[in-house]
Amino acid sequence: MHPAVLLLLRLSSLLHALRSAAAFASNETASTASCAPARCGNLNISYPFTLGGVQPQECGFPAFELACDADRAYLTKSFRERLYRVYSISYDTNSLVVAVETVFPGAGMSCGVPDFNVSSGLALYPLNISNTNNNLVLLYNCEIPPEKQLFPPCANHTIGAYVSETTPEGEVNPPQWVQKNCSSVSVPVRALQEGQDPARNYMGLITQGFLLEWPAKESRGCDACRVRGGECRFVQFSLRCICPDGRPCPTPRGKQRVFPRVALT
Ligand SMILES: *[C@@H]1O[C@H](CO)[C@@H](O)[C@H](O)[C@H]1NC(C)=O
Ligand SMILES: *[C@@H]1O[C@H](CO)[C@@H](O)[C@H](O)[C@H]1NC(C)=O
Ligand SMILES: *[C@@H]1O[C@H](CO)[C@@H](O)[C@H](O)[C@H]1NC(C)=O
Ligand SMILES: *[C@@H]1O[C@H](CO)[C@@H](O)[C@H](O)[C@H]1NC(C)=O
Ligand SMILES: *[C@@H]1O[C@H](CO)[C@@H](O)[C@H](O)[C@H]1NC(C)=O
Ligand SMILES: *[C@@H]1O[C@H](CO)[C@@H](O)[C@H](O)[C@H]1NC(C)=O
């Protein structure tokens, strides 16, 4: 990723951390604003996601704040606005389907091929790209055999496409027709259908999106909290369980919170 982009992302997460720390300091034990599920289109938004402007930010991970624009949900902490559209969230499988919405530089609005590696753009999110996806590789600035060129073309750009094969050992070598001097980007896409030509289906593949997963341990902690009648919050980098009185829920009877032993010498 471009260093300036990385810097911006780091700055914005730092600012965010400072802001949440300040909010936390102003009211250490109690919180009144509700984290009730919010809606955007047909999406149910609750911990670890939040809907900006509707739910307080501490209702989820800072990185998982969404914006709702005409019933479409987008991740907000991206290096361009409305870059990652969230189609669906599965709270049972800790996964979400996201599609990258962008245009290739100089292609007007007509071509949604990204000009960056989509996995790098997501590197700073606590998300993993599911290994059930395929990887669509797009090549440009080099000679592309006509049958590998995008069709319909991306404005007047010559761009080639293939789906890279991955094995447990990693990505296998690119196909032989790929020249060494090509520029390339890759986009995770859902599994290709048998015989589907990536060069002719590239827009469908990109707009269908791909599967991402978030760490299961965060959701387990939150499930336990809901069983106790609480609401999950994310304060100072950790999950808090807040009861309806606005105070931290007591830990279950007989299961006192265990504090680390401190050696007193
Ligand atoms: C903290 O929260 C409690 C309970 O909701 C509220 O009464 C109090 O005013 C809050 N204090 C600050 C400093 O916001
Ligand atoms: C959304 O959440 C509400 C409240 O938790 C629930 O009643 C409803 O069934 C959910 N809808 C979907 C589509 O998941
Ligand atoms: C995308 O990743 C590939 C492989 O790591 C790299 O060769 C390529 O230069 C990257 N593209 C961009 C636009 O950064
Ligand atoms: C593509 O179109 C743009 C504007 O329509 C033009 O400026 C550019 O030179 C064209 N590029 C090629 C390779 O034809
Ligand atoms: C890339 O390499 C091919 C031959 O391998 C050459 O014909 C072409 O001009 C090169 N393109 C660039 C942009 O260097
Ligand atoms: C994400 O990937 C990393 C590295 O492969 C792994 O350690 C981690 O457990 C994965 N997390 C999830 C939620 O799958």
Side-chain angles (χ1 to χ4, degrees), residues 104 113 137-145 148 150 158-162 174-175 177-179 182-185:
F104 197 74
V113 168
V137 182
L138 298 143
L139 304 159
Y140 50 96
N141 294 338
C142 63
E143 281 173 32
I144 311 282
K148 305 295 180 190
L150 300 187
T158 301
I159 300 181
Y162 69 92
W177 59 266
V178 176
Q179 292 178 357
C182 295
S183 305
S184 75
V185 295

mmCIF file with all atom_site columns, all heavy atoms in Angstrom, residues 104 113 137-145 148 150 158-162 174-175 177-179 182-185:
data_model
loop_
_atom_site.group_PDB
_atom_site.id
_atom_site.type_symbol
_atom_site.label_atom_id
_atom_site.label_alt_id
_atom_site.label_comp_id
_atom_site.label_asym_id
_atom_site.label_entity_id
_atom_site.label_seq_id
_atom_site.pdbx_PDB_ins_code
_atom_site.Cartn_x
_atom_site.Cartn_y
_atom_site.Cartn_z
_atom_site.occupancy
_atom_site.B_iso_or_equiv
_atom_site.pdbx_formal_charge
_atom_site.auth_seq_id
_atom_site.auth_comp_id
_atom_site.auth_asym_id
_atom_site.auth_atom_id
_atom_site.pdbx_PDB_model_num
ATOM 1   N N   . PHE A 1 104 ? -11.743 2.565   -11.914 1.00 0.00 ? 104 PHE A N   1
ATOM 2   C CA  . PHE A 1 104 ? -10.358 2.554   -12.363 1.00 0.00 ? 104 PHE A CA  1
ATOM 3   C C   . PHE A 1 104 ? -9.992  3.965   -12.825 1.00 0.00 ? 104 PHE A C   1
ATOM 4   O O   . PHE A 1 104 ? -10.773 4.607   -13.528 1.00 0.00 ? 104 PHE A O   1
ATOM 5   C CB  . PHE A 1 104 ? -10.203 1.550   -13.503 1.00 0.00 ? 104 PHE A CB  1
ATOM 6   C CG  . PHE A 1 104 ? -8.781  1.167   -13.755 1.00 0.00 ? 104 PHE A CG  1
ATOM 7   C CD1 . PHE A 1 104 ? -8.122  0.323   -12.870 1.00 0.00 ? 104 PHE A CD1 1
ATOM 8   C CD2 . PHE A 1 104 ? -8.096  1.650   -14.859 1.00 0.00 ? 104 PHE A CD2 1
ATOM 9   C CE1 . PHE A 1 104 ? -6.801  -0.038  -13.093 1.00 0.00 ? 104 PHE A CE1 1
ATOM 10  C CE2 . PHE A 1 104 ? -6.774  1.290   -15.088 1.00 0.00 ? 104 PHE A CE2 1
ATOM 11  C CZ  . PHE A 1 104 ? -6.123  0.443   -14.196 1.00 0.00 ? 104 PHE A CZ  1
ATOM 12  N N   . VAL A 1 113 ? -12.993 -1.591  -11.726 1.00 0.00 ? 113 VAL A N   1
ATOM 13  C CA  . VAL A 1 113 ? -11.775 -2.341  -11.403 1.00 0.00 ? 113 VAL A CA  1
ATOM 14  C C   . VAL A 1 113 ? -10.935 -1.513  -10.426 1.00 0.00 ? 113 VAL A C   1
ATOM 15  O O   . VAL A 1 113 ? -10.635 -0.360  -10.712 1.00 0.00 ? 113 VAL A O   1
ATOM 16  C CB  . VAL A 1 113 ? -10.972 -2.640  -12.693 1.00 0.00 ? 113 VAL A CB  1
ATOM 17  C CG1 . VAL A 1 113 ? -9.582  -3.141  -12.365 1.00 0.00 ? 113 VAL A CG1 1
ATOM 18  C CG2 . VAL A 1 113 ? -11.715 -3.652  -13.555 1.00 0.00 ? 113 VAL A CG2 1
ATOM 19  N N   . VAL A 1 137 ? -7.108  -11.698 -10.501 1.00 0.00 ? 137 VAL A N   1
ATOM 20  C CA  . VAL A 1 137 ? -5.932  -10.860 -10.752 1.00 0.00 ? 137 VAL A CA  1
ATOM 21  C C   . VAL A 1 137 ? -6.163  -10.070 -12.036 1.00 0.00 ? 137 VAL A C   1
ATOM 22  O O   . VAL A 1 137 ? -6.577  -10.638 -13.051 1.00 0.00 ? 137 VAL A O   1
ATOM 23  C CB  . VAL A 1 137 ? -4.648  -11.715 -10.871 1.00 0.00 ? 137 VAL A CB  1
ATOM 24  C CG1 . VAL A 1 137 ? -3.431  -10.823 -11.088 1.00 0.00 ? 137 VAL A CG1 1
ATOM 25  C CG2 . VAL A 1 137 ? -4.470  -12.586 -9.635  1.00 0.00 ? 137 VAL A CG2 1
ATOM 26  N N   . LEU A 1 138 ? -5.937  -8.751  -11.968 1.00 0.00 ? 138 LEU A N   1
ATOM 27  C CA  . LEU A 1 138 ? -6.130  -7.875  -13.117 1.00 0.00 ? 138 LEU A CA  1
ATOM 28  C C   . LEU A 1 138 ? -4.780  -7.288  -13.498 1.00 0.00 ? 138 LEU A C   1
ATOM 29  O O   . LEU A 1 138 ? -4.037  -6.816  -12.638 1.00 0.00 ? 138 LEU A O   1
ATOM 30  C CB  . LEU A 1 138 ? -7.130  -6.776  -12.752 1.00 0.00 ? 138 LEU A CB  1
ATOM 31  C CG  . LEU A 1 138 ? -8.508  -7.364  -12.407 1.00 0.00 ? 138 LEU A CG  1
ATOM 32  C CD1 . LEU A 1 138 ? -9.175  -6.610  -11.291 1.00 0.00 ? 138 LEU A CD1 1
ATOM 33  C CD2 . LEU A 1 138 ? -9.377  -7.437  -13.640 1.00 0.00 ? 138 LEU A CD2 1
ATOM 34  N N   . LEU A 1 139 ? -4.474  -7.347  -14.799 1.00 0.00 ? 139 LEU A N   1
ATOM 35  C CA  . LEU A 1 139 ? -3.143  -6.953  -15.288 1.00 0.00 ? 139 LEU A CA  1
ATOM 36  C C   . LEU A 1 139 ? -3.285  -5.802  -16.266 1.00 0.00 ? 139 LEU A C   1
ATOM 37  O O   . LEU A 1 139 ? -4.226  -5.782  -17.070 1.00 0.00 ? 139 LEU A O   1
ATOM 38  C CB  . LEU A 1 139 ? -2.513  -8.125  -16.034 1.00 0.00 ? 139 LEU A CB  1
ATOM 39  C CG  . LEU A 1 139 ? -2.396  -9.416  -15.253 1.00 0.00 ? 139 LEU A CG  1
ATOM 40  C CD1 . LEU A 1 139 ? -2.261  -10.584 -16.206 1.00 0.00 ? 139 LEU A CD1 1
ATOM 41  C CD2 . LEU A 1 139 ? -1.223  -9.340  -14.304 1.00 0.00 ? 139 LEU A CD2 1
ATOM 42  N N   . TYR A 1 140 ? -2.339  -4.861  -16.211 1.00 0.00 ? 140 TYR A N   1
ATOM 43  C CA  . TYR A 1 140 ? -2.376  -3.732  -17.143 1.00 0.00 ? 140 TYR A CA  1
ATOM 44  C C   . TYR A 1 140 ? -0.970  -3.192  -17.345 1.00 0.00 ? 140 TYR A C   1
ATOM 45  O O   . TYR A 1 140 ? -0.030  -3.655  -16.697 1.00 0.00 ? 140 TYR A O   1
ATOM 46  C CB  . TYR A 1 140 ? -3.361  -2.654  -16.655 1.00 0.00 ? 140 TYR A CB  1
ATOM 47  C CG  . TYR A 1 140 ? -3.190  -2.231  -15.214 1.00 0.00 ? 140 TYR A CG  1
ATOM 48  C CD1 . TYR A 1 140 ? -2.449  -1.111  -14.872 1.00 0.00 ? 140 TYR A CD1 1
ATOM 49  C CD2 . TYR A 1 140 ? -3.772  -2.975  -14.188 1.00 0.00 ? 140 TYR A CD2 1
ATOM 50  C CE1 . TYR A 1 140 ? -2.295  -0.725  -13.555 1.00 0.00 ? 140 TYR A CE1 1
ATOM 51  C CE2 . TYR A 1 140 ? -3.616  -2.601  -12.869 1.00 0.00 ? 140 TYR A CE2 1
ATOM 52  C CZ  . TYR A 1 140 ? -2.880  -1.477  -12.549 1.00 0.00 ? 140 TYR A CZ  1
ATOM 53  O OH  . TYR A 1 140 ? -2.719  -1.113  -11.246 1.00 0.00 ? 140 TYR A OH  1
ATOM 54  N N   . ASN A 1 141 ? -0.845  -2.188  -18.219 1.00 0.00 ? 141 ASN A N   1
ATOM 55  C CA  . ASN A 1 141 ? 0.466   -1.629  -18.602 1.00 0.00 ? 141 ASN A CA  1
ATOM 56  C C   . ASN A 1 141 ? 1.379   -2.673  -19.236 1.00 0.00 ? 141 ASN A C   1
ATOM 57  O O   . ASN A 1 141 ? 2.590   -2.646  -19.050 1.00 0.00 ? 141 ASN A O   1
ATOM 58  C CB  . ASN A 1 141 ? 1.195   -0.994  -17.404 1.00 0.00 ? 141 ASN A CB  1
ATOM 59  C CG  . ASN A 1 141 ? 0.493   0.229   -16.872 1.00 0.00 ? 141 ASN A CG  1
ATOM 60  O OD1 . ASN A 1 141 ? -0.291  0.857   -17.579 1.00 0.00 ? 141 ASN A OD1 1
ATOM 61  N ND2 . ASN A 1 141 ? 0.750   0.562   -15.623 1.00 0.00 ? 141 ASN A ND2 1
ATOM 62  N N   . CYS A 1 142 ? 0.800   -3.618  -19.950 1.00 0.00 ? 142 CYS A N   1
ATOM 63  C CA  . CYS A 1 142 ? 1.614   -4.606  -20.653 1.00 0.00 ? 142 CYS A CA  1
ATOM 64  C C   . CYS A 1 142 ? 0.755   -5.213  -21.755 1.00 0.00 ? 142 CYS A C   1
ATOM 65  O O   . CYS A 1 142 ? -0.418  -4.880  -21.867 1.00 0.00 ? 142 CYS A O   1
ATOM 66  C CB  . CYS A 1 142 ? 2.106   -5.691  -19.691 1.00 0.00 ? 142 CYS A CB  1
ATOM 67  S SG  . CYS A 1 142 ? 0.796   -6.657  -18.932 1.00 0.00 ? 142 CYS A SG  1
ATOM 68  N N   . GLU A 1 143 ? 1.370   -6.052  -22.565 1.00 0.00 ? 143 GLU A N   1
ATOM 69  C CA  . GLU A 1 143 ? 0.603   -6.670  -23.647 1.00 0.00 ? 143 GLU A CA  1
ATOM 70  C C   . GLU A 1 143 ? -0.239  -7.821  -23.100 1.00 0.00 ? 143 GLU A C   1
ATOM 71  O O   . GLU A 1 143 ? 0.257   -8.656  -22.334 1.00 0.00 ? 143 GLU A O   1
ATOM 72  C CB  . GLU A 1 143 ? 1.546   -7.185  -24.729 1.00 0.00 ? 143 GLU A CB  1
ATOM 73  C CG  . GLU A 1 143 ? 2.029   -6.061  -25.638 1.00 0.00 ? 143 GLU A CG  1
ATOM 74  C CD  . GLU A 1 143 ? 3.098   -6.535  -26.607 1.00 0.00 ? 143 GLU A CD  1
ATOM 75  O OE1 . GLU A 1 143 ? 3.048   -7.718  -27.012 1.00 0.00 ? 143 GLU A OE1 1
ATOM 76  O OE2 . GLU A 1 143 ? 3.971   -5.715  -26.941 1.00 0.00 ? 143 GLU A OE2 1
ATOM 77  N N   . ILE A 1 144 ? -1.515  -7.824  -23.515 1.00 0.00 ? 144 ILE A N   1
ATOM 78  C CA  . ILE A 1 144 ? -2.439  -8.854  -23.022 1.00 0.00 ? 144 ILE A CA  1
ATOM 79  C C   . ILE A 1 144 ? -2.994  -9.583  -24.251 1.00 0.00 ? 144 ILE A C   1
ATOM 80  O O   . ILE A 1 144 ? -3.497  -8.912  -25.169 1.00 0.00 ? 144 ILE A O   1
ATOM 81  C CB  . ILE A 1 144 ? -3.636  -8.220  -22.265 1.00 0.00 ? 144 ILE A CB  1
ATOM 82  C CG1 . ILE A 1 144 ? -3.174  -7.179  -21.222 1.00 0.00 ? 144 ILE A CG1 1
ATOM 83  C CG2 . ILE A 1 144 ? -4.545  -9.283  -21.666 1.00 0.00 ? 144 ILE A CG2 1
ATOM 84  C CD1 . ILE A 1 144 ? -2.641  -7.730  -19.946 1.00 0.00 ? 144 ILE A CD1 1
ATOM 85  N N   . PRO A 1 145 ? -2.946  -10.893 -24.310 1.00 0.00 ? 145 PRO A N   1
ATOM 86  C CA  . PRO A 1 145 ? -3.567  -11.594 -25.446 1.00 0.00 ? 145 PRO A CA  1
ATOM 87  C C   . PRO A 1 145 ? -5.053  -11.232 -25.524 1.00 0.00 ? 145 PRO A C   1
ATOM 88  O O   . PRO A 1 145 ? -5.710  -11.132 -24.475 1.00 0.00 ? 145 PRO A O   1
ATOM 89  C CB  . PRO A 1 145 ? -3.399  -13.081 -25.103 1.00 0.00 ? 145 PRO A CB  1
ATOM 90  C CG  . PRO A 1 145 ? -2.424  -13.141 -23.984 1.00 0.00 ? 145 PRO A CG  1
ATOM 91  C CD  . PRO A 1 145 ? -2.397  -11.819 -23.317 1.00 0.00 ? 145 PRO A CD  1
ATOM 92  N N   . LYS A 1 148 ? -7.727  -12.761 -23.351 1.00 0.00 ? 148 LYS A N   1
ATOM 93  C CA  . LYS A 1 148 ? -7.641  -12.570 -21.894 1.00 0.00 ? 148 LYS A CA  1
ATOM 94  C C   . LYS A 1 148 ? -8.034  -11.163 -21.472 1.00 0.00 ? 148 LYS A C   1
ATOM 95  O O   . LYS A 1 148 ? -8.008  -10.829 -20.288 1.00 0.00 ? 148 LYS A O   1
ATOM 96  C CB  . LYS A 1 148 ? -6.205  -12.864 -21.395 1.00 0.00 ? 148 LYS A CB  1
ATOM 97  C CG  . LYS A 1 148 ? -5.667  -14.216 -21.770 1.00 0.00 ? 148 LYS A CG  1
ATOM 98  C CD  . LYS A 1 148 ? -6.469  -15.330 -21.100 1.00 0.00 ? 148 LYS A CD  1
ATOM 99  C CE  . LYS A 1 148 ? -5.909  -16.698 -21.482 1.00 0.00 ? 148 LYS A CE  1
ATOM 100 N NZ  . LYS A 1 148 ? -6.818  -17.783 -21.028 1.00 0.00 ? 148 LYS A NZ  1
ATOM 101 N N   . LEU A 1 150 ? -10.326 -7.852  -20.725 1.00 0.00 ? 150 LEU A N   1
ATOM 102 C CA  . LEU A 1 150 ? -11.663 -7.646  -20.165 1.00 0.00 ? 150 LEU A CA  1
ATOM 103 C C   . LEU A 1 150 ? -12.638 -7.344  -21.282 1.00 0.00 ? 150 LEU A C   1
ATOM 104 O O   . LEU A 1 150 ? -12.352 -6.584  -22.203 1.00 0.00 ? 150 LEU A O   1
ATOM 105 C CB  . LEU A 1 150 ? -11.662 -6.467  -19.175 1.00 0.00 ? 150 LEU A CB  1
ATOM 106 C CG  . LEU A 1 150 ? -10.754 -6.568  -17.951 1.00 0.00 ? 150 LEU A CG  1
ATOM 107 C CD1 . LEU A 1 150 ? -11.025 -5.389  -17.011 1.00 0.00 ? 150 LEU A CD1 1
ATOM 108 C CD2 . LEU A 1 150 ? -10.958 -7.897  -17.207 1.00 0.00 ? 150 LEU A CD2 1
ATOM 109 N N   . THR A 1 158 ? -6.485  -1.378  -21.634 1.00 0.00 ? 158 THR A N   1
ATOM 110 C CA  . THR A 1 158 ? -6.301  -2.790  -21.940 1.00 0.00 ? 158 THR A CA  1
ATOM 111 C C   . THR A 1 158 ? -5.934  -3.497  -20.647 1.00 0.00 ? 158 THR A C   1
ATOM 112 O O   . THR A 1 158 ? -4.855  -3.273  -20.086 1.00 0.00 ? 158 THR A O   1
ATOM 113 C CB  . THR A 1 158 ? -5.183  -2.976  -22.988 1.00 0.00 ? 158 THR A CB  1
ATOM 114 O OG1 . THR A 1 158 ? -5.570  -2.239  -24.153 1.00 0.00 ? 158 THR A OG1 1
ATOM 115 C CG2 . THR A 1 158 ? -5.015  -4.447  -23.333 1.00 0.00 ? 158 THR A CG2 1
ATOM 116 N N   . ILE A 1 159 ? -6.878  -4.278  -20.155 1.00 0.00 ? 159 ILE A N   1
ATOM 117 C CA  . ILE A 1 159 ? -6.680  -4.958  -18.869 1.00 0.00 ? 159 ILE A CA  1
ATOM 118 C C   . ILE A 1 159 ? -6.964  -6.442  -19.084 1.00 0.00 ? 159 ILE A C   1
ATOM 119 O O   . ILE A 1 159 ? -7.930  -6.802  -19.762 1.00 0.00 ? 159 ILE A O   1
ATOM 120 C CB  . ILE A 1 159 ? -7.619  -4.366  -17.782 1.00 0.00 ? 159 ILE A CB  1
ATOM 121 C CG1 . ILE A 1 159 ? -7.326  -2.861  -17.603 1.00 0.00 ? 159 ILE A CG1 1
ATOM 122 C CG2 . ILE A 1 159 ? -7.465  -5.118  -16.466 1.00 0.00 ? 159 ILE A CG2 1
ATOM 123 C CD1 . ILE A 1 159 ? -8.170  -2.177  -16.557 1.00 0.00 ? 159 ILE A CD1 1
ATOM 124 N N   . GLY A 1 160 ? -6.100  -7.260  -18.535 1.00 0.00 ? 160 GLY A N   1
ATOM 125 C CA  . GLY A 1 160 ? -6.294  -8.705  -18.633 1.00 0.00 ? 160 GLY A CA  1
ATOM 126 C C   . GLY A 1 160 ? -6.718  -9.267  -17.280 1.00 0.00 ? 160 GLY A C   1
ATOM 127 O O   . GLY A 1 160 ? -6.548  -8.603  -16.255 1.00 0.00 ? 160 GLY A O   1
ATOM 128 N N   . ALA A 1 161 ? -7.295  -10.470 -17.303 1.00 0.00 ? 161 ALA A N   1
ATOM 129 C CA  . ALA A 1 161 ? -7.759  -11.047 -16.042 1.00 0.00 ? 161 ALA A CA  1
ATOM 130 C C   . ALA A 1 161 ? -7.528  -12.544 -16.011 1.00 0.00 ? 161 ALA A C   1
ATOM 131 O O   . ALA A 1 161 ? -7.608  -13.220 -17.038 1.00 0.00 ? 161 ALA A O   1
ATOM 132 C CB  . ALA A 1 161 ? -9.250  -10.763 -15.854 1.00 0.00 ? 161 ALA A CB  1
ATOM 133 N N   . TYR A 1 162 ? -7.205  -13.044 -14.825 1.00 0.00 ? 162 TYR A N   1
ATOM 134 C CA  . TYR A 1 162 ? -7.236  -14.490 -14.589 1.00 0.00 ? 162 TYR A CA  1
ATOM 135 C C   . TYR A 1 162 ? -7.536  -14.718 -13.111 1.00 0.00 ? 162 TYR A C   1
ATOM 136 O O   . TYR A 1 162 ? -7.439  -13.793 -12.305 1.00 0.00 ? 162 TYR A O   1
ATOM 137 C CB  . TYR A 1 162 ? -5.910  -15.151 -14.999 1.00 0.00 ? 162 TYR A CB  1
ATOM 138 C CG  . TYR A 1 162 ? -4.709  -14.822 -14.137 1.00 0.00 ? 162 TYR A CG  1
ATOM 139 C CD1 . TYR A 1 162 ? -4.371  -15.626 -13.045 1.00 0.00 ? 162 TYR A CD1 1
ATOM 140 C CD2 . TYR A 1 162 ? -3.902  -13.731 -14.419 1.00 0.00 ? 162 TYR A CD2 1
ATOM 141 C CE1 . TYR A 1 162 ? -3.257  -15.332 -12.268 1.00 0.00 ? 162 TYR A CE1 1
ATOM 142 C CE2 . TYR A 1 162 ? -2.794  -13.430 -13.646 1.00 0.00 ? 162 TYR A CE2 1
ATOM 143 C CZ  . TYR A 1 162 ? -2.478  -14.235 -12.567 1.00 0.00 ? 162 TYR A CZ  1
ATOM 144 O OH  . TYR A 1 162 ? -1.385  -13.942 -11.789 1.00 0.00 ? 162 TYR A OH  1
ATOM 145 N N   . PRO A 1 174 ? 1.806   -17.481 -11.990 1.00 0.00 ? 174 PRO A N   1
ATOM 146 C CA  . PRO A 1 174 ? 0.793   -16.975 -12.918 1.00 0.00 ? 174 PRO A CA  1
ATOM 147 C C   . PRO A 1 174 ? 0.818   -17.773 -14.216 1.00 0.00 ? 174 PRO A C   1
ATOM 148 O O   . PRO A 1 174 ? 1.819   -18.414 -14.534 1.00 0.00 ? 174 PRO A O   1
ATOM 149 C CB  . PRO A 1 174 ? 1.225   -15.517 -13.143 1.00 0.00 ? 174 PRO A CB  1
ATOM 150 C CG  . PRO A 1 174 ? 2.591   -15.379 -12.621 1.00 0.00 ? 174 PRO A CG  1
ATOM 151 C CD  . PRO A 1 174 ? 2.813   -16.487 -11.639 1.00 0.00 ? 174 PRO A CD  1
ATOM 152 N N   . PRO A 1 175 ? -0.290  -17.723 -14.988 1.00 0.00 ? 175 PRO A N   1
ATOM 153 C CA  . PRO A 1 175 ? -0.310  -18.441 -16.264 1.00 0.00 ? 175 PRO A CA  1
ATOM 154 C C   . PRO A 1 175 ? 0.806   -17.937 -17.184 1.00 0.00 ? 175 PRO A C   1
ATOM 155 O O   . PRO A 1 175 ? 1.289   -16.821 -17.017 1.00 0.00 ? 175 PRO A O   1
ATOM 156 C CB  . PRO A 1 175 ? -1.685  -18.098 -16.845 1.00 0.00 ? 175 PRO A CB  1
ATOM 157 C CG  . PRO A 1 175 ? -2.441  -17.389 -15.802 1.00 0.00 ? 175 PRO A CG  1
ATOM 158 C CD  . PRO A 1 175 ? -1.526  -17.005 -14.705 1.00 0.00 ? 175 PRO A CD  1
ATOM 159 N N   . TRP A 1 177 ? 0.922   -16.844 -20.195 1.00 0.00 ? 177 TRP A N   1
ATOM 160 C CA  . TRP A 1 177 ? 0.737   -15.671 -21.051 1.00 0.00 ? 177 TRP A CA  1
ATOM 161 C C   . TRP A 1 177 ? 1.012   -14.359 -20.313 1.00 0.00 ? 177 TRP A C   1
ATOM 162 O O   . TRP A 1 177 ? 1.116   -13.308 -20.927 1.00 0.00 ? 177 TRP A O   1
ATOM 163 C CB  . TRP A 1 177 ? -0.662  -15.663 -21.661 1.00 0.00 ? 177 TRP A CB  1
ATOM 164 C CG  . TRP A 1 177 ? -1.807  -15.659 -20.670 1.00 0.00 ? 177 TRP A CG  1
ATOM 165 C CD1 . TRP A 1 177 ? -2.472  -16.756 -20.198 1.00 0.00 ? 177 TRP A CD1 1
ATOM 166 C CD2 . TRP A 1 177 ? -2.425  -14.524 -20.039 1.00 0.00 ? 177 TRP A CD2 1
ATOM 167 N NE1 . TRP A 1 177 ? -3.459  -16.371 -19.313 1.00 0.00 ? 177 TRP A NE1 1
ATOM 168 C CE2 . TRP A 1 177 ? -3.446  -14.998 -19.211 1.00 0.00 ? 177 TRP A CE2 1
ATOM 169 C CE3 . TRP A 1 177 ? -2.205  -13.140 -20.111 1.00 0.00 ? 177 TRP A CE3 1
ATOM 170 C CZ2 . TRP A 1 177 ? -4.255  -14.166 -18.427 1.00 0.00 ? 177 TRP A CZ2 1
ATOM 171 C CZ3 . TRP A 1 177 ? -3.010  -12.299 -19.346 1.00 0.00 ? 177 TRP A CZ3 1
ATOM 172 C CH2 . TRP A 1 177 ? -4.019  -12.814 -18.515 1.00 0.00 ? 177 TRP A CH2 1
ATOM 173 N N   . VAL A 1 178 ? 1.156   -14.397 -19.019 1.00 0.00 ? 178 VAL A N   1
ATOM 174 C CA  . VAL A 1 178 ? 1.351   -13.165 -18.250 1.00 0.00 ? 178 VAL A CA  1
ATOM 175 C C   . VAL A 1 178 ? 2.797   -12.685 -18.376 1.00 0.00 ? 178 VAL A C   1
ATOM 176 O O   . VAL A 1 178 ? 3.722   -13.401 -18.001 1.00 0.00 ? 178 VAL A O   1
ATOM 177 C CB  . VAL A 1 178 ? 0.989   -13.379 -16.763 1.00 0.00 ? 178 VAL A CB  1
ATOM 178 C CG1 . VAL A 1 178 ? 1.286   -12.123 -15.955 1.00 0.00 ? 178 VAL A CG1 1
ATOM 179 C CG2 . VAL A 1 178 ? -0.470  -13.783 -16.619 1.00 0.00 ? 178 VAL A CG2 1
ATOM 180 N N   . GLN A 1 179 ? 2.968   -11.460 -18.902 1.00 0.00 ? 179 GLN A N   1
ATOM 181 C CA  . GLN A 1 179 ? 4.316   -10.903 -19.036 1.00 0.00 ? 179 GLN A CA  1
ATOM 182 C C   . GLN A 1 179 ? 4.828   -10.410 -17.688 1.00 0.00 ? 179 GLN A C   1
ATOM 183 O O   . GLN A 1 179 ? 4.054   -9.977  -16.846 1.00 0.00 ? 179 GLN A O   1
ATOM 184 C CB  . GLN A 1 179 ? 4.294   -9.742  -20.031 1.00 0.00 ? 179 GLN A CB  1
ATOM 185 C CG  . GLN A 1 179 ? 4.022   -10.198 -21.446 1.00 0.00 ? 179 GLN A CG  1
ATOM 186 C CD  . GLN A 1 179 ? 3.953   -9.015  -22.398 1.00 0.00 ? 179 GLN A CD  1
ATOM 187 O OE1 . GLN A 1 179 ? 4.055   -7.853  -22.000 1.00 0.00 ? 179 GLN A OE1 1
ATOM 188 N NE2 . GLN A 1 179 ? 3.767   -9.320  -23.676 1.00 0.00 ? 179 GLN A NE2 1
ATOM 189 N N   . CYS A 1 182 ? 4.015   -6.584  -16.333 1.00 0.00 ? 182 CYS A N   1
ATOM 190 C CA  . CYS A 1 182 ? 2.647   -6.096  -16.102 1.00 0.00 ? 182 CYS A CA  1
ATOM 191 C C   . CYS A 1 182 ? 2.523   -5.460  -14.719 1.00 0.00 ? 182 CYS A C   1
ATOM 192 O O   . CYS A 1 182 ? 3.156   -5.910  -13.762 1.00 0.00 ? 182 CYS A O   1
ATOM 193 C CB  . CYS A 1 182 ? 1.639   -7.245  -16.145 1.00 0.00 ? 182 CYS A CB  1
ATOM 194 S SG  . CYS A 1 182 ? 1.473   -8.055  -17.739 1.00 0.00 ? 182 CYS A SG  1
ATOM 195 N N   . SER A 1 183 ? 1.692   -4.417  -14.616 1.00 0.00 ? 183 SER A N   1
ATOM 196 C CA  . SER A 1 183 ? 1.221   -3.985  -13.299 1.00 0.00 ? 183 SER A CA  1
ATOM 197 C C   . SER A 1 183 ? 0.039   -4.871  -12.954 1.00 0.00 ? 183 SER A C   1
ATOM 198 O O   . SER A 1 183 ? -0.670  -5.331  -13.851 1.00 0.00 ? 183 SER A O   1
ATOM 199 C CB  . SER A 1 183 ? 0.751   -2.533  -13.335 1.00 0.00 ? 183 SER A CB  1
ATOM 200 O OG  . SER A 1 183 ? 1.760   -1.705  -13.835 1.00 0.00 ? 183 SER A OG  1
ATOM 201 N N   . SER A 1 184 ? -0.183  -5.096  -11.667 1.00 0.00 ? 184 SER A N   1
ATOM 202 C CA  . SER A 1 184 ? -1.309  -5.972  -11.322 1.00 0.00 ? 184 SER A CA  1
ATOM 203 C C   . SER A 1 184 ? -1.956  -5.565  -10.010 1.00 0.00 ? 184 SER A C   1
ATOM 204 O O   . SER A 1 184 ? -1.336  -4.928  -9.159  1.00 0.00 ? 184 SER A O   1
ATOM 205 C CB  . SER A 1 184 ? -0.821  -7.416  -11.204 1.00 0.00 ? 184 SER A CB  1
ATOM 206 O OG  . SER A 1 184 ? -0.104  -7.582  -10.004 1.00 0.00 ? 184 SER A OG  1
ATOM 207 N N   . VAL A 1 185 ? -3.237  -5.893  -9.898  1.00 0.00 ? 185 VAL A N   1
ATOM 208 C CA  . VAL A 1 185 ? -3.937  -5.801  -8.616  1.00 0.00 ? 185 VAL A CA  1
ATOM 209 C C   . VAL A 1 185 ? -4.757  -7.072  -8.478  1.00 0.00 ? 185 VAL A C   1
ATOM 210 O O   . VAL A 1 185 ? -5.072  -7.729  -9.471  1.00 0.00 ? 185 VAL A O   1
ATOM 211 C CB  . VAL A 1 185 ? -4.892  -4.580  -8.516  1.00 0.00 ? 185 VAL A CB  1
ATOM 212 C CG1 . VAL A 1 185 ? -4.130  -3.276  -8.570  1.00 0.00 ? 185 VAL A CG1 1
ATOM 213 C CG2 . VAL A 1 185 ? -5.977  -4.631  -9.561  1.00 0.00 ? 185 VAL A CG2 1
#
